[in-house]
Amino acid sequence: MQDISIETGRLLLRVPQLADFDRYAELLGDEEACRYIGGHQPRAAAWRKFLQMPGAWAVQGFAMFSVIERGSGLWLGQVGPWRPDGWPGNEVGWSLHPDAWGKGYAREAAAAAIDWAFANLGWDEVIHCIDPANLPSQRLAARLGSRNRGPGRMPAPYENAAVDIWGQTRDEWTINRETSR
């Protein structure tokens, strides 16, 4: 597997590691934190879901990064490129542990991940699949410069989930990136 990492002012974005799992399991065990990402899951189910990202890194060469607070080494969440089979586009998504909310980490990490995706994956646009009721994610997408393109359709088993597709092109990101940091 690739050894890719990105450093920002406060964060390290890197490929997920086994040591990240306990905090990931806490995130997936929190009902509020998982309301818009498929619902909370017990630890055993969280383990299987955790393996998706390292597996995607190994198979397709990209996936969400683990987001680590540089000062403490604490796992804060996952942010980055994500494109499962049948997905409505090239997504940069995010999910953070509740104790990392409201500190600007998601915006800092998402901006770095968008930069990386455009520089390394050849994408011409990024999207964010956001539940219409998820106001914090909508605000983050807007701060990143993305706009709501309207309702989208997710693949099974999420085909009945309400989702709006937010997004922007590479050219728009070139303009928006300075205000999104």
Side-chain angles (χ1 to χ4, degrees), residues 101-117:
W101 293 356
K103 299 176 182 174
Y105 292 133
R107 186 167 86 180
E108 186 175 336
I114 292 170
D115 279 344
W116 186 87

PDB file of all heavy atoms in Angstrom, residues 101-117:
ATOM      1  N   TRP A 101     -15.437  18.258  16.393  1.00  0.00           N
ATOM      2  CA  TRP A 101     -16.376  19.160  15.725  1.00  0.00           C
ATOM      3  C   TRP A 101     -16.173  20.609  16.175  1.00  0.00           C
ATOM      4  O   TRP A 101     -15.811  20.891  17.317  1.00  0.00           O
ATOM      5  CB  TRP A 101     -17.812  18.770  16.048  1.00  0.00           C
ATOM      6  CG  TRP A 101     -18.256  17.446  15.485  1.00  0.00           C
ATOM      7  CD1 TRP A 101     -17.546  16.607  14.672  1.00  0.00           C
ATOM      8  CD2 TRP A 101     -19.504  16.812  15.713  1.00  0.00           C
ATOM      9  NE1 TRP A 101     -18.290  15.492  14.383  1.00  0.00           N
ATOM     10  CE2 TRP A 101     -19.493  15.588  15.011  1.00  0.00           C
ATOM     11  CE3 TRP A 101     -20.628  17.144  16.446  1.00  0.00           C
ATOM     12  CZ2 TRP A 101     -20.563  14.710  15.009  1.00  0.00           C
ATOM     13  CZ3 TRP A 101     -21.698  16.273  16.445  1.00  0.00           C
ATOM     14  CH2 TRP A 101     -21.671  15.073  15.730  1.00  0.00           C
ATOM     15  N   GLY A 102     -16.427  21.524  15.258  1.00  0.00           N
ATOM     16  CA  GLY A 102     -16.442  22.947  15.579  1.00  0.00           C
ATOM     17  C   GLY A 102     -15.077  23.588  15.739  1.00  0.00           C
ATOM     18  O   GLY A 102     -14.981  24.707  16.239  1.00  0.00           O
ATOM     19  N   LYS A 103     -14.028  22.931  15.280  1.00  0.00           N
ATOM     20  CA  LYS A 103     -12.666  23.455  15.449  1.00  0.00           C
ATOM     21  C   LYS A 103     -11.988  23.778  14.119  1.00  0.00           C
ATOM     22  O   LYS A 103     -10.811  24.102  14.099  1.00  0.00           O
ATOM     23  CB  LYS A 103     -11.829  22.445  16.235  1.00  0.00           C
ATOM     24  CG  LYS A 103     -12.405  22.201  17.626  1.00  0.00           C
ATOM     25  CD  LYS A 103     -11.639  21.148  18.374  1.00  0.00           C
ATOM     26  CE  LYS A 103     -12.308  20.916  19.737  1.00  0.00           C
ATOM     27  NZ  LYS A 103     -11.708  19.821  20.465  1.00  0.00           N
ATOM     28  N   GLY A 104     -12.720  23.650  13.009  1.00  0.00           N
ATOM     29  CA  GLY A 104     -12.160  23.945  11.700  1.00  0.00           C
ATOM     30  C   GLY A 104     -11.322  22.830  11.108  1.00  0.00           C
ATOM     31  O   GLY A 104     -10.747  22.995  10.031  1.00  0.00           O
ATOM     32  N   TYR A 105     -11.265  21.698  11.774  1.00  0.00           N
ATOM     33  CA  TYR A 105     -10.465  20.576  11.257  1.00  0.00           C
ATOM     34  C   TYR A 105     -11.013  20.054   9.942  1.00  0.00           C
ATOM     35  O   TYR A 105     -10.245  19.725   9.027  1.00  0.00           O
ATOM     36  CB  TYR A 105     -10.414  19.425  12.259  1.00  0.00           C
ATOM     37  CG  TYR A 105      -9.658  19.691  13.530  1.00  0.00           C
ATOM     38  CD1 TYR A 105     -10.211  19.348  14.757  1.00  0.00           C
ATOM     39  CD2 TYR A 105      -8.393  20.259  13.515  1.00  0.00           C
ATOM     40  CE1 TYR A 105      -9.525  19.565  15.940  1.00  0.00           C
ATOM     41  CE2 TYR A 105      -7.697  20.486  14.689  1.00  0.00           C
ATOM     42  CZ  TYR A 105      -8.268  20.134  15.906  1.00  0.00           C
ATOM     43  OH  TYR A 105      -7.584  20.341  17.071  1.00  0.00           O
ATOM     44  N   ALA A 106     -12.327  19.928   9.822  1.00  0.00           N
ATOM     45  CA  ALA A 106     -12.916  19.369   8.602  1.00  0.00           C
ATOM     46  C   ALA A 106     -12.582  20.254   7.402  1.00  0.00           C
ATOM     47  O   ALA A 106     -12.222  19.745   6.338  1.00  0.00           O
ATOM     48  CB  ALA A 106     -14.426  19.211   8.762  1.00  0.00           C
ATOM     49  N   ARG A 107     -12.695  21.545   7.564  1.00  0.00           N
ATOM     50  CA  ARG A 107     -12.390  22.453   6.456  1.00  0.00           C
ATOM     51  C   ARG A 107     -10.912  22.384   6.078  1.00  0.00           C
ATOM     52  O   ARG A 107     -10.575  22.306   4.885  1.00  0.00           O
ATOM     53  CB  ARG A 107     -12.783  23.883   6.818  1.00  0.00           C
ATOM     54  CG  ARG A 107     -12.621  24.825   5.636  1.00  0.00           C
ATOM     55  CD  ARG A 107     -13.286  26.136   5.890  1.00  0.00           C
ATOM     56  NE  ARG A 107     -12.382  27.022   6.590  1.00  0.00           N
ATOM     57  CZ  ARG A 107     -12.695  28.257   6.949  1.00  0.00           C
ATOM     58  NH1 ARG A 107     -13.887  28.736   6.715  1.00  0.00           N
ATOM     59  NH2 ARG A 107     -11.820  29.007   7.557  1.00  0.00           N
ATOM     60  N   GLU A 108     -10.048  22.382   7.065  1.00  0.00           N
ATOM     61  CA  GLU A 108      -8.607  22.305   6.811  1.00  0.00           C
ATOM     62  C   GLU A 108      -8.249  21.005   6.086  1.00  0.00           C
ATOM     63  O   GLU A 108      -7.497  20.999   5.102  1.00  0.00           O
ATOM     64  CB  GLU A 108      -7.859  22.407   8.142  1.00  0.00           C
ATOM     65  CG  GLU A 108      -6.368  22.492   8.039  1.00  0.00           C
ATOM     66  CD  GLU A 108      -5.707  22.718   9.393  1.00  0.00           C
ATOM     67  OE1 GLU A 108      -6.350  23.253  10.333  1.00  0.00           O
ATOM     68  OE2 GLU A 108      -4.521  22.345   9.528  1.00  0.00           O
ATOM     69  N   ALA A 109      -8.806  19.906   6.563  1.00  0.00           N
ATOM     70  CA  ALA A 109      -8.513  18.601   5.961  1.00  0.00           C
ATOM     71  C   ALA A 109      -9.147  18.476   4.579  1.00  0.00           C
ATOM     72  O   ALA A 109      -8.515  17.959   3.645  1.00  0.00           O
ATOM     73  CB  ALA A 109      -9.004  17.482   6.876  1.00  0.00           C
ATOM     74  N   ALA A 110     -10.384  18.928   4.421  1.00  0.00           N
ATOM     75  CA  ALA A 110     -11.061  18.806   3.129  1.00  0.00           C
ATOM     76  C   ALA A 110     -10.358  19.628   2.058  1.00  0.00           C
ATOM     77  O   ALA A 110     -10.213  19.171   0.917  1.00  0.00           O
ATOM     78  CB  ALA A 110     -12.524  19.210   3.252  1.00  0.00           C
ATOM     79  N   ALA A 111      -9.909  20.829   2.400  1.00  0.00           N
ATOM     80  CA  ALA A 111      -9.189  21.649   1.423  1.00  0.00           C
ATOM     81  C   ALA A 111      -7.911  20.941   0.970  1.00  0.00           C
ATOM     82  O   ALA A 111      -7.605  20.902  -0.227  1.00  0.00           O
ATOM     83  CB  ALA A 111      -8.868  23.022   2.014  1.00  0.00           C
ATOM     84  N   ALA A 112      -7.185  20.357   1.912  1.00  0.00           N
ATOM     85  CA  ALA A 112      -5.962  19.627   1.554  1.00  0.00           C
ATOM     86  C   ALA A 112      -6.286  18.398   0.706  1.00  0.00           C
ATOM     87  O   ALA A 112      -5.563  18.075  -0.249  1.00  0.00           O
ATOM     88  CB  ALA A 112      -5.204  19.217   2.815  1.00  0.00           C
ATOM     89  N   ALA A 113      -7.370  17.705   1.035  1.00  0.00           N
ATOM     90  CA  ALA A 113      -7.756  16.513   0.277  1.00  0.00           C
ATOM     91  C   ALA A 113      -8.217  16.871  -1.133  1.00  0.00           C
ATOM     92  O   ALA A 113      -7.922  16.140  -2.092  1.00  0.00           O
ATOM     93  CB  ALA A 113      -8.847  15.746   1.022  1.00  0.00           C
ATOM     94  N   ILE A 114      -8.927  17.977  -1.275  1.00  0.00           N
ATOM     95  CA  ILE A 114      -9.342  18.418  -2.615  1.00  0.00           C
ATOM     96  C   ILE A 114      -8.113  18.769  -3.442  1.00  0.00           C
ATOM     97  O   ILE A 114      -7.995  18.368  -4.608  1.00  0.00           O
ATOM     98  CB  ILE A 114     -10.341  19.590  -2.529  1.00  0.00           C
ATOM     99  CG1 ILE A 114     -11.668  19.109  -1.939  1.00  0.00           C
ATOM    100  CG2 ILE A 114     -10.559  20.224  -3.907  1.00  0.00           C
ATOM    101  CD1 ILE A 114     -12.637  20.238  -1.586  1.00  0.00           C
ATOM    102  N   ASP A 115      -7.176  19.507  -2.854  1.00  0.00           N
ATOM    103  CA  ASP A 115      -5.921  19.804  -3.552  1.00  0.00           C
ATOM    104  C   ASP A 115      -5.257  18.516  -4.035  1.00  0.00           C
ATOM    105  O   ASP A 115      -4.830  18.405  -5.177  1.00  0.00           O
ATOM    106  CB  ASP A 115      -4.942  20.542  -2.632  1.00  0.00           C
ATOM    107  CG  ASP A 115      -5.194  22.025  -2.514  1.00  0.00           C
ATOM    108  OD1 ASP A 115      -5.919  22.597  -3.354  1.00  0.00           O
ATOM    109  OD2 ASP A 115      -4.641  22.627  -1.574  1.00  0.00           O
ATOM    110  N   TRP A 116      -5.152  17.536  -3.122  1.00  0.00           N
ATOM    111  CA  TRP A 116      -4.489  16.276  -3.445  1.00  0.00           C
ATOM    112  C   TRP A 116      -5.234  15.529  -4.549  1.00  0.00           C
ATOM    113  O   TRP A 116      -4.618  15.009  -5.484  1.00  0.00           O
ATOM    114  CB  TRP A 116      -4.372  15.398  -2.190  1.00  0.00           C
ATOM    115  CG  TRP A 116      -3.583  14.158  -2.430  1.00  0.00           C
ATOM    116  CD1 TRP A 116      -2.230  14.029  -2.331  1.00  0.00           C
ATOM    117  CD2 TRP A 116      -4.092  12.878  -2.844  1.00  0.00           C
ATOM    118  NE1 TRP A 116      -1.870  12.733  -2.653  1.00  0.00           N
ATOM    119  CE2 TRP A 116      -2.989  12.019  -2.970  1.00  0.00           C
ATOM    120  CE3 TRP A 116      -5.367  12.394  -3.107  1.00  0.00           C
ATOM    121  CZ2 TRP A 116      -3.123  10.682  -3.353  1.00  0.00           C
ATOM    122  CZ3 TRP A 116      -5.499  11.071  -3.498  1.00  0.00           C
ATOM    123  CH2 TRP A 116      -4.390  10.234  -3.609  1.00  0.00           C
ATOM    124  N   ALA A 117      -6.553  15.478  -4.464  1.00  0.00           N
ATOM    125  CA  ALA A 117      -7.340  14.765  -5.472  1.00  0.00           C
ATOM    126  C   ALA A 117      -7.151  15.390  -6.854  1.00  0.00           C
ATOM    127  O   ALA A 117      -6.930  14.674  -7.845  1.00  0.00           O
ATOM    128  CB  ALA A 117      -8.819  14.739  -5.083  1.00  0.00           C
TER     129      ALA A 117
END
